[in-house]
Structures are given as C-alpha cells and as structure tokens.
C-alpha cells in the first residue's frame, strides 16, 4: 500500500471514528449510516490496497469477528452498532495488525470505562445531555472502539 493511499484512508477514517465517539456518547447508539460510511471506505479502498489472498483473510477475520460479537450481543454485553462497526473494521485492518489492534482496543475500552464511571460520579444528580453519562445502565463501547481506531491510525504503523 502506498503512503498516499494510507494518508487518504486515514483522512477518511479519523473523522468517522470521532463521529462514532460523539454519537455513542450523546445517544448511546451507533447509527447505521455511520457504519455504512465505513463500509464504503472499505469497498472503495480494498481493491486498490490489498491482494486477493489478503482480502480473503480479511473476510475470514471479519466473519469471525461478527460471530464472536454476535455471541456478546446475544448475552447483552454489546450493542448492535458495536457488532456492525467491529465487523467492518476487521476488513479495514490488515490481518497481521489485528493482534495489535486488539491490544489497543482492550486498553481503550478499559480507559473509557474508567472515564465514563468517573464522569458519571462527578455529574451524579446533575442534568446532562450526554446519554452515556446520564444513563447509568449501559456503557458506550463506541468510545473505546473510536478511540482505539484513532490511536491505531495515528501510531499503529510505527508499532508494526
């Protein structure tokens, strides 16, 4: 993959990751149209950035991600938007980089859980328009997924 192609994909995905964070924090959901934008980026960029064998492995990784996330969704541990988003992200990330993304995602979710619980504690009893803070039942995984995506895009190439 050329440096120009990598830069152009990054310019497209970073704002999308930021939108994922904002939407999930504000409404506790990741809209289908936002996931569809990631799908468009994947469909348009993959034929120019990877070979057929790598594309097949990415499809396998994406299908595996979907099945694992579907089990988590069935157990009410993950929302539908999170399942769809992680499935598409498995297409955009090279298979050799998936372990690194998994580590970044795990750390990002841990930090975001701590940040949300801290924000909820600090705003206890105070009105807020951010559903992720005011709704104490759920947790916005989009914060962790979006943050992990941004970190991966910015420092992932240096770590690989």
């Amino acid at each position: 993959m050329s440096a120009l192609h990598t830069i152009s994909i990054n310019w497209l995905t970073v704002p999308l990751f930021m939108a994922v964070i904002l939407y999930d924090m504000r409404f506790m959901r990741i809209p289908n149209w936002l996931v569809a934008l990631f799908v468009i980026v994947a469909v348009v960029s993959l034929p120019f950035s990877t070979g057929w064998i790598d594309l097949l492995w990415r499809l396998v990784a994406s299908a595996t991600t979907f099945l694992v996330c579907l089990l988590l969704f069935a157990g009410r541990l993950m929302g539908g938007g999170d399942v769809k988003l992680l499935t598409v992200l498995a297409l955009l990330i090279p298979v050799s980089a998936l372990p690194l993304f998994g580590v970044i995602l795990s750390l990002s979710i841990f930090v975001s859980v701590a940040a949300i619980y801290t924000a909820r504690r600090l705003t206890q009893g105070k009105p807020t328009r951010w559903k992720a803070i005011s709704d104490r039942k759920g947790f916005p995984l989009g914060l962790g997924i979006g943050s992990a995506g941004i970190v991966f895009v910015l420092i992932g190439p240096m770590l690989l």
Side-chain angles (χ1 to χ4, degrees):
M1 179 175 359
S2 70
L4 180 60
H5 181 268
T6 302
I7 291 169
S8 65
I9 295 299
N10 291 350
W11 279 104
L12 292 172
T13 58
V14 169
L16 292 177
F17 284 125
M18 290 171 35
V20 164
I21 293 169
L22 291 174
Y23 266 89
D24 210 16
M25 290 295 295
R26 179 71 174 94
F27 303 108
M28 286 289 287
R29 63 183 307 271
I30 299 171
N32 288 335
W33 64 265
L34 191 50
V35 175
L37 290 175
F38 278 99
V39 171
I40 291 168
V41 169
V43 167
V44 170
S45 68
L46 284 176
F48 302 106
S49 65
T50 187
W52 289 107
I53 299 297
D54 186 47
L55 181 59
L56 282 173
W57 280 112
R58 288 184 190 209
L59 288 169
V60 168
S62 182
T64 304
T65 300
F66 176 73
L67 291 174
V68 170
C69 289
L70 192 60
L71 291 172
L72 293 171
F73 175 76
R76 298 182 185 248
L77 297 172
M78 181 179 281
D82 304 318
V83 172
K84 291 179 270 189
L85 182 60
L86 285 172
T87 300
V88 174
L89 289 182
L91 288 173
L92 289 171
I93 299 170
V95 175
S96 61
L98 284 174
L100 174 63
F101 181 74
V103 169
I104 293 171
L105 179 62
S106 299
L107 292 172
S108 180
I109 288 173
F110 177 78
V111 169
S112 62
V113 166
I116 291 296
Y117 282 127
T118 301
R120 286 177 178 174
R121 194 93 153 129
L122 292 173
T123 60
Q124 198 166 18
K126 298 176 187 165
T128 178
R129 294 179 57 192
W130 296 91
K131 192 171 182 181
I133 296 172
S134 63
D135 182 5
R136 302 194 186 281
K137 291 178 247 170
F139 176 77
L141 277 180
L143 175 61
I145 296 169
S147 300
I150 292 170
V151 168
F152 182 78
V153 163
L154 295 179
I155 67 168
M158 292 182 284
L159 297 175
L160 290 174

